[in-house]
């Protein structure tokens, strides 16, 4: 067993769940960041159906990329600290997860108000879909970002 | 009162308990070693239940482990 008797906070190592949050946020930013850049740069497709199919295909590709980053990243951090990966979450992990989800909920609610209540008056189809996806991604980024911040800066729930 | 911090003697108590590691203490009370390190560093305030468990491991009362700063 590693001698941790004199470890400070930094020396105790990055918690496994913080590493997981870094991997998750990287996957979201890389995959869906690229997705939104591409869809905003592309000219409109010929028909509404073409536009929809193209959006589904691009979103599918982005999701596969995200899952690859998540899978490979998780394997890497698990192999780097297998003992930490096996330890079940404790009360701090659960408190941080709860706080992160609460922050993300507000972002998601704001997004759904924009997408579900305001956008139908001046947009339609794929534009609404992409706006909904954007807010979902934003909420997830806020969730993982809050998790990372809580682990690094401390938590006094 | 709201600005007063709670400090603890966990690091000292671990040392006096045969240089118990953070991981050992964490295992005994169901916490990760990173959480024990965060408590020692004042970066996390444990629940009342966890605080009692920590005190119980060292055979101390709660106020022998946790105190108001100053």
């Amino acid at each position: 067993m590693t001698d941790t008797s004199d470890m400070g906070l930094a020396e105790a190592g990055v918690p496994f769940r913080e590493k997981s949050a870094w991997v998750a946020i990287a996957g979201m930013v890389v995959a869906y960041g690229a997705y939104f850049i591409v869809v905003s740069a592309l000219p409109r497709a010929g028909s509404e159906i073409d536009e929809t199919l193209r959006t589904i295909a691009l979103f599918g590709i982005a999701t596969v990329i995200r899952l690859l980053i998540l899978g490979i990243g998780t394997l890497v951090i698990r192999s780097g600290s297998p003992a930490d990966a096996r330890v079940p979450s404790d009360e701090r992990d659960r408190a941080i997860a709860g706080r992160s989800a609460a922050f993300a909920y507000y972002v998601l609610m704001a997004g759904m108000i924009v997408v579900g209540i305001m956008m139908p008056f001046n947009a339609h189809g794929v534009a609404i879909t992409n706006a909904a996806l954007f807010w979902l991604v934003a909420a997830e980024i806020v969730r993982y970002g809050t998790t990372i911040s809580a682990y690094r800066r401390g938590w006094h729930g | 009162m709201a600005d007063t911090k709670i400090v603890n003697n966990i690091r000292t108590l671990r040392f006096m308990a045969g240089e118990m590691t953070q991981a050992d203490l964490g295992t005994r009370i169901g916490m990760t070693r990173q959480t024990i390190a965060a408590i020692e560093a004042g970066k996390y305030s444990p629940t009342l239940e966890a605080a009692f468990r920590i005190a119980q491991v060292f055979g101390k009362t709660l106020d022998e482990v946790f105190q108001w700063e100053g």
Side-chain angles (χ1 to χ4, degrees), chain A:
Chain A
M1 182 183 292
T2 308
D3 179 12
T4 57
S5 58
D6 286 314
M7 280 184 178
L9 188 59
E11 292 81 11
V14 178
F16 179 75
R17 282 162 188 81
E18 184 191 330
K19 292 179 191 169
S20 297
W22 278 112
V23 169
I25 208 167
M28 297 295 286
V29 170
V30 170
Y32 297 122
Y35 169 80
F36 287 119
I37 289 169
V38 169
V39 295
S40 63
L42 282 174
R44 282 187 61 84
S47 68
E48 188 75 22
I49 291 175
D50 289 344
E51 186 90 4
T52 303
L53 291 175
R54 188 176 70 184
T55 300
I56 291 169
L58 287 172
F59 187 74
I61 292 167
T63 301
V64 168
I65 292 169
R66 191 225 164 177
L67 291 175
L68 281 173
I69 293 170
L70 201 59
I72 293 167
T74 302
L75 280 176
V76 169
I77 61 171
R78 270 182 187 276
S79 63
S81 50
D84 285 349
R86 282 193 299 271
V87 175
S89 61
D90 63 18
E91 62 174 44
R92 184 173 72 134
D93 299 321
R94 290 189 291 274
I96 288 172
R99 181 194 211 193
S100 305
F103 275 34
Y105 170 80
Y106 293 118
V107 175
L108 194 58
M109 283 300 289
M112 290 309 107
I113 288 168
V114 171
V115 171
I117 298 173
M118 297 165 70
M119 283 191 74
F121 291 107
N122 54 20
H124 65 280
V126 171
I128 291 178
T129 303
N130 278 327
L133 292 173
F134 173 82
W135 282 100
L136 283 170
V137 169
E140 283 292 89
I141 288 172
V142 165
R143 182 160 77 95
Y144 294 122
T146 306
T147 298
I148 291 165
S149 170
Y151 277 115
R152 299 188 78 80
R153 299 185 60 191
W155 164 253
H156 299 278

Side-chain angles (χ1 to χ4, degrees), chain B:
Chain B
M1 189 62 151
D3 292 336
T4 310
K5 281 177 63 180
I6 293 174
V7 294
N8 65 75
N9 301 321
I10 295 173
R11 199 184 185 95
T12 306
L13 290 167
R14 281 195 302 108
F15 180 76
M16 294 193 320
E19 299 194 18
M20 182 190 293
T21 65
Q22 290 168 336
D24 289 341
L25 177 58
T27 302
R28 293 177 70 165
I29 62 168
M31 285 182 167
T32 62
R33 63 188 165 92
Q34 288 90 357
T35 297
I36 299 296
I39 294 170
E40 287 184 3
K43 292 277 188 180
Y44 173 66
S45 302
T47 60
L48 190 58
E49 184 181 338
F52 269 108
R53 282 187 181 155
I54 292 168
Q56 188 180 38
V57 167
F58 297 116
K60 302 286 184 186
T61 59
L62 200 57
D63 62 346
E64 288 177 299
V65 182
F66 297 91
Q67 303 89 30
W68 290 110
E69 188 176 46

